[in-house]
Amino acid sequence: MSDEALFVNDIIEATRDGIIKAYQCTECNEMGISVQALCKQCGNNKLNIKEISNVGKVVTYTIQTVAPDPFVNEVPYAWIIVELEDKIRITGWIPFISSKEQLSIGQKVKLVKSYKPGMVFEKLSE
Amino acid sequence: MNKVFLIGAAGTAYGKSNLTARDLSMLASKHAIESSGIKPHDIQAAFVANAFGMAEKQGHLGPLLMSSLGIPHVPSSTIEAACCSGGSAFREAYVNVASGFYDVMLVTGTEKVSHLDTLTATTYFAYGGDYLFEGNSGASFPGLYAAMARAHMHEYGTTEEELAAVAVKNHNNGIFNEKAHLQKKITVDDVLKSPVVADPLKFFDSCPFSDGAAATIIASEEFMNKNGLEKKVSIKGSGRSGGSGSLHTRDDLSSLESTIKASREAFGQAGISVKDLDFAEVHDCFTIAEIIAMEDLGIFEKGQASKAVVEGRTAINGEIPINPSGGLKSKGHPVGATGVGQIVEVFDQLTGNAGKRQVNDARIGLTHNVGATGGSCAVHIFERE
């Protein structure tokens, strides 16, 4: 099954272990991290699923002070969009960030093994 | 495609209601039928826009509503496209009538969320994005727009004060709309000092959770001629586009691709340019959303819209009034109803019935309705006959 497409659970299970799985088109080499069956670029129906680097830089972020379930007891924290070393993007969050000054666009971050719900990142020093 | 007319439109007050979504939509539909001059049995089909029906333990709203209107045989379906449910339902009805399949259709949108507590409502709203990547890692719906706001600020130097000016302007308009949810004047300072929801967005940068319904009746030219009905407003252009429903898969976080595509389709069909617009109702679920909408529609250059708001160019008496109704920000945002309600405002404006918020000599108006962070967009252009 999982060599046919990138499924929701493939992504969830990998990120729980601090691993990021991406698809890569066997025709045009387009890559991405999304639930995917056909290539966005060329329509090809053969995608390779592969593990990629879990390190990247923050592209944008918000500090959540009002949260949806099940994050109510985690506030405040940062929700982030990250551009990984392979130049494709993923989302996640960083616990215990309480103000915008504690993070900046361009900050280096790494996906870690989940000790909380969702895709948990931590700041890396340069 | 056949010419299609907007012949009736009505909405309930937006805000906190004791009525159900079903009741609200029944009321709006009744008043839309009355305003159109047709009889209920002239309606051949209907679309119902509703996003959170299950929150009231009631799906399959259409047949119940048709029965309430005395036309149980009329086929109806619910259309869901998050906050773009209303615009999407209107588009599908337009396609049905423009193609000649039906002559008269009802489009209604309705929502009831005020019985939910804040946590439940916040959680439901997070379901409209790509939950796997967004809500599942703690992003609330405001959080997604906050991430876009930060990207826009980083790219163009947009400030929190400029965002606040959007809220102030829309509240100024909403004061003159007796059906608006928040009829209250606010200042830039009020916005900046209001509690942070998802930095940089604050309480007054955000639209409220509203209950409410809206309804419209559209009809073919043939039907209008046969029944000697007065032609007041025609549909000049209809544009729809999808876009990536996941923020992280987009290259540009300060723009919605679906707005660009849907609006270009609508302008092309109408044979007009953005300069021909007399006003627009745009999707301002957050202040940043109105800025991005104006830029993607082409009303202002990228990075210039927020300055235009501060300069008063988008006020009711400005060069291009934006959201004379008060917008989602002040008028309110009953999700399924919102896109249809924008069209009700355009109908009122183009027929000269907008009272104190009337745009001077309004001839051409546009509606812009977005689902979640741009996964769906519907743009419609209307002209006074």
Side-chain angles (χ1 to χ4, degrees), chain B residues 38-59:
Chain B
I38 64 161
K39 293 187 174 63
H41 65 250
D42 290 327
I43 296 168
Q44 294 166 304
F47 284 126
V48 181
N50 181 242
F52 300 121
M54 293 305 172
E56 273 193 301
K57 303 186 175 80
Q58 183 63 66

Side-chain angles (χ1 to χ4, degrees), chain A residues 11-12 33 35 40 59-69 71-72 77 79 89-91 93 100 105 118-119, chain B residues 119 123 132-140 143-144 146-147 150-151 154 160 196-199 248-251 253:
Chain A
I11 295 170
I12 290 181
I33 305 161
V35 178
K40 288 179 196 172
V59 174
T60 188
Y61 66 97
T62 179
I63 308 298
Q64 293 279 169
T65 37
V66 179
D69 194 39
F71 289 83
V72 182
Y77 57 88
W79 183 79
R89 295 177 179 184
I90 193 168
T91 60
W93 68 292
K100 63 181 169 189
I105 291 175
M119 304 171 189
Chain B
L119 172 61
T123 304
L132 164 63
F133 289 97
E134 296 166 356
N136 190 50
S137 282
S140 64
L144 301 177
R150 177 159 276 108
H154 185 72
E160 294 181 37
V196 176
V197 176
D199 185 272
H248 73 284
T249 62
R250 301 179 194 170
D251 292 331
L253 288 164

Side-chain angles (χ1 to χ4, degrees), chain A residues 79-92:
Chain A
W79 183 79
I80 57 176
I81 299 180
V82 180
E83 185 156 300
L84 299 162
E85 288 175 333
D86 291 275
K87 298 294 166 205
I88 54 175
R89 295 177 179 184
I90 193 168
T91 60

Side-chain angles (χ1 to χ4, degrees), chain B residues 341-353:
Chain B
Q342 292 176 322
I343 295 166
V344 174
E345 175 69 10
V346 169
F347 186 77
D348 287 347
Q349 289 285 351
L350 295 181
T351 53
N353 288 312

